[in-house]
Amino acid sequence: MENTTEKKGLNISVKSFITAIAVLFVLMILTYVLTFIVPGGEIPFWKWALSPVLVLGGEDNVSLIAVIAFLLVIGGVFNCLEKCGLMKYMLDKITYRYGKEKYKLLALVTLFFMAMGAFIGSFEECVPLVPIVVALAIRLGWDALTGLGMSLLAIGCGFASGICNPFTVGVAQELAELPMFSGMWFRAVAFILIYALLFGFLCRYAKRIEKPMDVNVAEEDFVDNKQMNKGLVCFATLMCVGIAVVLSSVVITALQDYTMIIVALTFLLAGMIASAISKCGGNLGSMFWNGLTSVLPAVLMILMANSIKYTMVEGNVLDTILGGAINIAETLPKWSVILFIYLIALVMNFFISSGSAKAFLLMPLIVPVAEAFGISAQLCVVAYAFGDGFSNVFYPTNPVLLISLGLADVSYGKWAKWSWKFQVLNLLLTSGLLLLGLVIGY
């Protein structure tokens, strides 16, 4: 597979773009059809047809616009880093340093991304790092899927395990009137088991498709460049500062609404200053603009993905479906109720990707049902977190997934075919954990 990330910056693959747009358009049609099937559902055709535009004026418009701006900044900065040669030099240096211990590197990178999701609830914020990891995986003799597994899949798993994820566990526990981040030990056990499953899955695949590393980065060919080193030190230092600020949001809760802005500004400053220090020549402003325009197709994917929730809400379908699901839960045996709650969260995540928004919608309804069966609100929170997180990196309605796949030149079909086995194994593992929690009275 050609390493387009290294050679051309962050360009959305035409094939991946067309596939994603086709999938999203089919889902938009199916959602519109639901408004005719579900009792009480109704939405004017013109409103559905214009929904990708109307979402910009909807209730989630601020976060939607922030995600779009965030993506454009990423595209601009990556093009500067690539054109200045800093990206290639960084990958060469990492490969030179860790090429003989690449499975240890795989373990550490995967753990880092899982921890970012589990401890501070990062998801969209890690998009800038995904193409770097994909390019690194290719350098190390693996492929883009391995890189996506180490980064995107890992961040989704960490986000779902939610040790102290403020956007899912934090909000859900507050709505369930539980102490913030209480019951952490059970989620920590889940984190360890999920990490072991993911690492085993990635190692098995990587060893199967492994190729010799690029001869251009063999030990005898790597030449240390002092100017590039200065640029890398600047880039790494500023990014570490930004990550530290984001990590502090666990304690300084006022920062939680601004983590994406913090990461975007940090990445912008780090990338532009590092590019200038590397003295690559050329106009950085022009490089930034070219990179920004190269990712514009992703904006359409974001708008179409968000239009599905818009149609569900405006068409009065979402509440009806959720109400019907709650009624079914009330008729089930106790042991299956917690699994059904997991299923409800999984289904709702297809339409609403925002973890905190979904918590406000679901928790007031599912906690009373669970408690009526003697199931603790704490276990209910875990089931909700599981249902919200893992499917973020599988459902085609999640714009972060589509953007990451487009940047890595991997079609959604190829991703689904590759990752479904892990998703099934993980579903079995997490379902078993929920049943264990029920048995031990968690």
Side-chain angles (χ1 to χ4, degrees), residues 367-375:
V367 169
V369 173
E371 291 181 335
F373 282 85
I375 300 171

Side-chain angles (χ1 to χ4, degrees), residues 110 113-115 117-118 123 149 151-163 190-191 194-195 197-198 385-386 389-393 422-423 426 430:
T110 302
F113 277 92
M114 273 197 67
F123 189 61
S151 54
L152 182 68
L153 190 54
I155 196 77
C157 288
F159 192 90
S161 65
I163 294 178
F191 177 93
I194 294 165
Y195 172 74
L197 177 65
L198 177 59
F386 285 171
F390 299 116
S391 52
N392 280 331
V393 289
F422 171 78
Q423 292 283 0
N426 193 48
T430 49

Side-chain angles (χ1 to χ4, degrees), residues 23 28 41 51 59 173 176 237-238 261 280 308 321 369 387:
V23 170
M28 286 177 64
S51 57
E59 58 182 358
Q173 287 186 327
T237 301
L238 290 175
I261 297 174
C280 60
I308 293 170
I321 293 176
V369 173

Side-chain angles (χ1 to χ4, degrees), residues 10 58 114 293:
L10 291 188
M114 273 197 67
T293 55

Side-chain angles (χ1 to χ4, degrees), residues 96-354:
Y96 168 70
R97 171 65 179 83
Y98 296 101
K100 295 180 179 178
E101 300 176 311
K102 57 185 182 179
Y103 283 95
K104 289 183 180 179
L105 185 62
L106 186 152
L108 289 173
V109 171
T110 302
L111 181 61
F112 168 77
F113 277 92
M114 273 197 67
M116 289 290 286
F119 289 99
I120 60 176
S122 284
F123 189 61
E124 294 91 345
E125 295 86 351
C126 286
V127 169
L129 302 178
V130 171
I132 296 176
V133 178
V134 169
L136 177 62
I138 293 171
R139 277 298 177 89
L140 293 172
W142 300 320
D143 62 3
L145 288 171
T146 311
L148 286 167
M150 294 161 63
S151 54
L152 182 68
L153 190 54
I155 196 77
C157 288
F159 192 90
S161 65
I163 294 178
C164 49
N165 183 340
F167 304 109
T168 54
V169 171
V171 174
Q173 287 186 327
E174 183 179 355
L175 292 170
E177 298 182 351
L178 295 168
M180 183 73 79
F181 303 137
S182 56
M184 191 182 296
W185 71 268
F186 188 81
R187 298 191 299 276
V189 170
F191 177 93
I192 294 169
L193 294 175
I194 294 165
Y195 172 74
L197 177 65
L198 177 59
F199 180 66
F201 175 79
L202 291 175
C203 275
R204 185 173 181 272
Y205 175 76
K207 288 178 179 178
R208 193 172 79 242
I209 56 94
E210 189 173 43
K211 297 177 181 178
M213 288 189 294
D214 192 336
V215 294
N216 293 325
V217 293
E219 289 187 21
E220 62 271 17
D221 294 330
F222 179 75
V223 178
D224 216 32
N225 185 309
K226 291 183 178 180
Q227 204 62 43
M228 287 290 187
N229 285 338
K230 290 179 181 178
L232 280 183
V233 169
C234 172
F235 182 78
T237 301
L238 290 175
M239 287 301 295
C240 285
V241 170
I243 291 173
V245 174
V246 172
L247 285 170
S248 69
S249 66
V250 175
V251 179
I252 309 172
T253 54
L255 292 176
Q256 290 176 3
D257 293 333
Y258 306 101
T259 54
M260 192 182 299
I261 297 174
I262 293 168
V263 172
L265 290 176
T266 301
F267 195 68
L268 178 62
L269 287 173
M272 299 304 284
I273 294 174
S275 296
I277 289 175
S278 66
K279 295 183 179 180
C280 60
N283 189 322
L284 282 179
S286 177
M287 292 178 191
F288 183 87
W289 174 255
N290 290 336
L292 182 151
T293 55
S294 72
V295 296
L296 280 176
V299 174
L300 179 58
M301 291 192 290
I302 294 172
L303 295 176
M304 289 180 69
N306 280 272
S307 74
I308 293 170
K309 177 199 171 184
Y310 179 87
T311 300
M312 294 286 287
V313 174
E314 292 293 318
N316 301 315
V317 170
L318 202 59
D319 289 341
T320 304
I321 293 176
L322 180 57
I326 297 300
N327 290 335
I328 293 174
E330 293 174 344
T331 66
L332 297 173
K334 177 180 177 179
W335 68 267
S336 63
V337 170
I338 192 63
L339 297 181
F340 193 74
I341 289 173
Y342 187 4
L343 177 63
I344 291 174
L346 278 171
V347 172
M348 295 305 293
N349 198 44
F350 185 86
F351 303 104
I352 307 173
S353 57
S354 170

